[in-house]
Amino acid sequence: MGSCSSKKGESKNNYLLQTLSGHEAGVNCMALSEDGSVLATGSEDKTARLWSAKTTPCECLGILRGHEEYINCIIIEDCFCITGSADKTIRKWDVSTCECVLILRGHTSVIYRMICTGDFIFTSSYDRTARCWDFENGECIRVFRGHKRGVYPLIFIPGDDDSDDVDGNDGSKDLLITGSADFTARSWNFETGQCLKVFKGHTGAVTCMATDIMGRILFTGSTDFSIRSWNLLKGEQLKLFSGHQGSVICIQVINKLLYSGSSDHTGRAWVTEFGDCTRVYKGHKHTVSVIKMKDGLVFTGCGDASARVFAGKSGTLAREFKGHDGALNALQVVNGKLFTGSYDGDVKVWDVSGINDDDTAFGKEEDKKKSKEKADDIEKMSHIDQNQNGIANGSAVNSKIMIE
């Protein structure tokens, strides 16, 4: 592993702290442990690696070997790492020993995405199904069938036991939401596996999804260039978010704003209630494959091999991180560090400390403090998905909305 700790000068590696080498092919996905101390990466080389995220320098803690094809998605849950692969299996690994303790078999094609509630693992696949597995013993509990093409993003919304039963929930308030290449999203009764609503309107694959903080409004992004909002319980479309000139690849909802990344080389910010675009984050030279809002800053990973950070409110480009030799697939931000994973096989560590004060027109000190407090509150309430299109979200009743 090489490192570059220089923070002075005007070179393109101005903020590069370290390069984590080891993977023999592209890095497809990343996950952080809940305390931010361990970073997990999944790769085209069929392995996952664990890295120390808080130490200086960061070090490789272990290699997870066993998959027979590339790894598409990865999660750290408690003391375990979960990986989903093109070999049609999901594996559960002990983080302390790097040994595989469970292999989950049942899907008949590539595993695309995963979420984990602690008790259950949910997976989506190109085999047109989503599945639910017991976290402890790996038993397949339920198969959700109905989509006509591959299943992509997933959301799990736990019920509020104190609320009255709602229409279409069939006595169960726990919902699974799936998006598919068949142009639709679907909601499912978790207990029975029954499809409750089909969200029709897109004319392209549903690539990414999010919900509002209460889990009542669904947002879907598509290859038809649009984002749409839906009444989750009624299945009715609410708003059409028009503006992108290419496929919508990733979305994230924070408070009343939605952030999106697209193959049109832009990121955008939208008002969720009205569908109005309020900011366009420009400067990318290829697809914006990852977008994350944190502490008032918008971080993007791009197909042009660069990461960027923008001031959320003004849209001003604050820093650009150049150094990778391939498209960026994943990023994570923790403890003043930005971790980026690329097709070039490297994980790079960048310094993102001090950006609010030094580099952006984000606003007054009081505004910045309030924004950080809101983001921190959401993070505490929520489970944050750890894969490339991760979305921070949460529920006001302290239950966990799980979003891939």
Side-chain angles (χ1 to χ4, degrees), residues 10-210:
E10 298 299 328
S11 72
K12 68 178 182 179
N13 290 335
N14 198 10
Y15 298 102
L16 180 64
L17 300 175
Q18 193 177 354
T19 298
L20 308 179
S21 302
H23 281 299
E24 297 175 1
V27 176
N28 290 333
C29 48
M30 280 184 179
L32 273 172
S33 61
E34 187 174 359
D35 64 1
S37 65
V38 179
L39 178 77
T41 53
S43 170
E44 289 281 327
D45 68 8
K46 309 175 188 178
T47 73
R49 287 178 177 251
L50 304 176
W51 311 85
S52 60
K54 286 187 175 179
T55 62
T56 303
C58 301
E59 299 177 347
C60 183
L61 302 174
I63 305 173
L64 312 182
R65 292 189 174 96
H67 279 297
E68 297 175 0
E69 293 291 344
Y70 62 85
I71 295 173
N72 245 351
C73 45
I74 194 164
I75 295 171
I76 298 179
E77 179 69 29
D78 198 11
C79 301
F80 299 95
C81 182
I82 317 296
T83 52
S85 168
D87 67 9
K88 309 174 189 176
T89 71
I90 303 97
R91 286 177 177 249
K92 178 180 176 181
W93 312 79
D94 187 316
V95 170
S96 61
T97 65
C98 294
E99 293 181 358
C100 180
V101 295
L102 276 179
I103 303 177
L104 285 57
R105 292 187 172 94
H107 279 297
T108 58
S109 188
V110 176
I111 310 300
Y112 188 74
R113 287 290 176 263
M114 297 186 304
I115 49 179
C116 184
T117 67
D119 295 322
F120 305 107
I121 300 169
F122 294 89
T123 54
S124 66
S125 170
Y126 291 162
D127 67 8
R128 306 181 183 184
T129 72
R131 287 176 179 252
C132 175
W133 315 79
D134 186 281
F135 181 80
E136 292 299 326
N137 60 31
E139 177 186 355
C140 182
I141 297 171
R142 200 150 291 112
V143 181
F144 301 89
R145 304 182 190 274
H147 282 296
K148 297 176 181 178
R149 295 183 185 175
V151 182
Y152 294 164
L154 298 164
I155 299 177
F156 177 73
I157 304 177
D160 178 5
D161 293 334
D162 296 329
S163 69
D164 294 332
D165 192 22
V166 292
D167 244 3
N169 244 348
D170 195 27
S172 168
K173 304 179 185 65
D174 291 348
L175 297 177
L176 177 69
I177 316 296
T178 55
S180 171
D182 67 7
F183 305 174
T184 72
R186 288 174 178 251
S187 62
W188 309 82
N189 181 310
F190 169 63
E191 293 296 332
T192 66
Q194 175 191 0
C195 179
L196 300 175
K197 299 293 180 184
V198 180
F199 303 89
K200 294 181 180 180
H202 282 295
T203 57
V206 176
T207 55
C208 47
M209 301 189 304

Side-chain angles (χ1 to χ4, degrees), residues 34 213 254 375-385 391-395 398-403:
E34 187 174 359
I213 198 169
I254 296 288
D376 288 346
D377 287 344
I378 288 177
E379 239 176 78
K380 287 174 184 176
M381 289 192 298
S382 67
H383 175 95
I384 299 178
D385 172 76
I391 304 161
N393 214 319
S395 164
N398 275 337
S399 43
K400 295 181 179 179
I401 298 177
M402 320 294 290
I403 303 182

Side-chain angles (χ1 to χ4, degrees), residues 316-376:
T316 304
L317 177 63
R319 288 185 194 174
E320 188 171 3
F321 306 95
K322 295 183 177 181
H324 280 293
D325 294 323
L328 268 61
N329 295 322
L331 64 80
Q332 294 288 343
V333 185
V334 64
N335 299 322
K337 296 177 182 177
L338 169 66
F339 294 87
T340 55
S342 165
Y343 275 129
D344 65 14
D346 286 338
V347 176
K348 290 185 181 290
V349 189
W350 311 86
D351 179 14
V352 293
S353 62
I355 296 181
N356 273 358
D357 294 332
D358 298 338
D359 299 347
T360 74
F362 183 66
K364 299 177 182 179
E365 289 296 326
E366 185 177 348
D367 292 337
K368 289 186 284 187
K369 183 178 179 182
K370 287 181 180 178
S371 175
K372 187 177 189 307
E373 287 174 352
K374 285 183 180 179
D376 288 346

